[in-house]
Amino acid sequence: MSGIVPVVTVDGPSGTGKGTLALWLARMLGWHFLDSGVLYRVTAHYAALSGVALTDEARVAELALALPVVFVETDGEPRVLLDDRDVTAAVRTEAGGAAASVVAALPAVREALLARQRAFRQPPGLVADGRDMGTVVFPDAAFKLFLTASAEARADRRYKQLKGKGIDVNLAALLEDIRRRDQRDEQRAVAPLQPAPDAEILDTTHLGIPEVETRVKRLLRERGIARRGG
Ligand code: DC
């Protein structure tokens, strides 16, 4: 059955608008949604709670394989439950992202999360957001998008986002953190952050969300991928 369920993949570094675009796409198409980054974030969180070092590949992979995680939607917002506790806010912090990037570099952890990610492929379709959705997890996806943007533009967006939430941040430190994380994600031996050869690359440095959505709608139409109801 999974062979015929269509998948749209949205890959790229954080701060490119990838998550917003992927969620919008899933809602527009009426398809399921996979935020694969959350799985790495929850794995790192679970390791910390369990007193396991983030670099202990075998033990972190063991935790990843049996991750007691459930995705729900409350008031239209995706929430993540770990052992029935809402960890959405806890795993979404900058530290949570950095910890996720460390466990994501471990091949056994990536392997452990593979089947769980593929299980999201359910009718009528799936929009999958991540770094290796089009290259490793769903190489047969119907449509692959890869979003890029300069590190400066991404740091600036993150800065405004955090400031908007009343969180005090330093732009230079954010930029440094983004560069460090890009380097780790791009240079890891397994499933490095890179576009699939057949991915459509969209540079969002100078594009707002509405412009990105308009372009993606056109690309979907060209490829015959239908929205909900038609
Ligand atoms: O998308 P995000 O910021 O929630 O991802 C957190 C980290 O997880 C990111 O630094 C890289 C890693 N990741 C990955 O290696 N592969 C994925 N498919 C998704 C995320």
Side-chain angles (χ1 to χ4, degrees):
M1 143 102 62
S2 71
I4 54 160
V5 176
V7 180
V8 169
T9 57
V10 186
D11 287 307
S14 50
T16 51
K18 174 177 67 84
T20 308
L21 177 75
L23 192 56
W24 167 81
L25 257 177
R27 288 185 172 150
M28 184 188 70
L29 293 166
W31 289 6
H32 297 280
F33 174 60
L34 165 63
D35 176 354
S36 60
V38 159
L39 288 174
Y40 291 96
R41 287 172 184 262
V42 175
T43 298
H45 188 69
Y46 197 38
L49 287 179
S50 311
V52 171
L54 296 182
T55 48
D56 187 337
E57 182 165 6
R59 291 192 64 199
V60 178
E62 222 171 275
L63 292 176
L65 205 55
L67 210 57
V69 70
V70 178
F71 296 92
V72 292
E73 219 178 272
T74 310
D75 300 327
E77 287 302 314
R79 317 289 310 173
V80 193
L81 308 182
L82 179 68
D83 258 341
D84 292 333
R85 251 177 316 168
D86 191 330
V87 294
T88 319
V91 302
R92 286 245 163 265
T93 59
E94 294 305 297
S101 171
V102 173
V103 300
L106 306 173
V109 173
R110 304 199 72 85
E111 180 65 30
L113 291 176
L114 211 47
R116 192 184 288 266
Q117 294 175 82
R118 290 185 175 145
F120 277 79
R121 189 175 196 166
Q122 297 287 338
L126 173 70
V127 177
D129 164 356
R131 304 290 190 289
D132 61 341
M133 298 296 98
T135 48
V136 176
V137 185
F138 303 107
D140 64 336
F143 179 44
K144 301 177 184 180
L145 271 165
F146 191 93
L147 268 55
T148 63
S150 70
E152 289 77 9
R154 290 186 285 132
D156 196 50
R157 283 176 196 158
R158 190 73 184 135
Y159 179 78
K160 288 182 181 139
Q161 203 179 33
L162 291 170
K163 279 276 178 193
K165 287 186 191 164
I167 300 169
D168 199 26
V169 276
N170 175 295
L171 182 60
L174 268 181
L175 180 60
E176 182 54 33
D177 187 50
I178 281 179
R179 290 210 169 108
R180 207 173 318 121
R181 195 150 7 137
D182 279 357
Q183 199 180 22
R184 190 160 45 215
D185 292 344
E186 283 163 9
Q187 294 181 357
R188 67 177 172 229
V190 176
L193 172 63
Q194 61 182 26
D198 52 345
E200 193 74 46
I201 298 175
L202 259 180
D203 186 338
T204 69
T205 306
H206 304 292
L207 292 181
I209 293 171
E211 289 140 321
V212 174
E213 288 179 355
T214 303
R215 285 186 194 207
V216 169
K217 264 191 198 161
R218 198 183 57 226
L219 289 166
L220 287 175
R221 257 200 317 274
E222 283 170 11
R223 285 155 196 255
I225 297 172
R227 57 193 299 169
R228 200 200 302 247

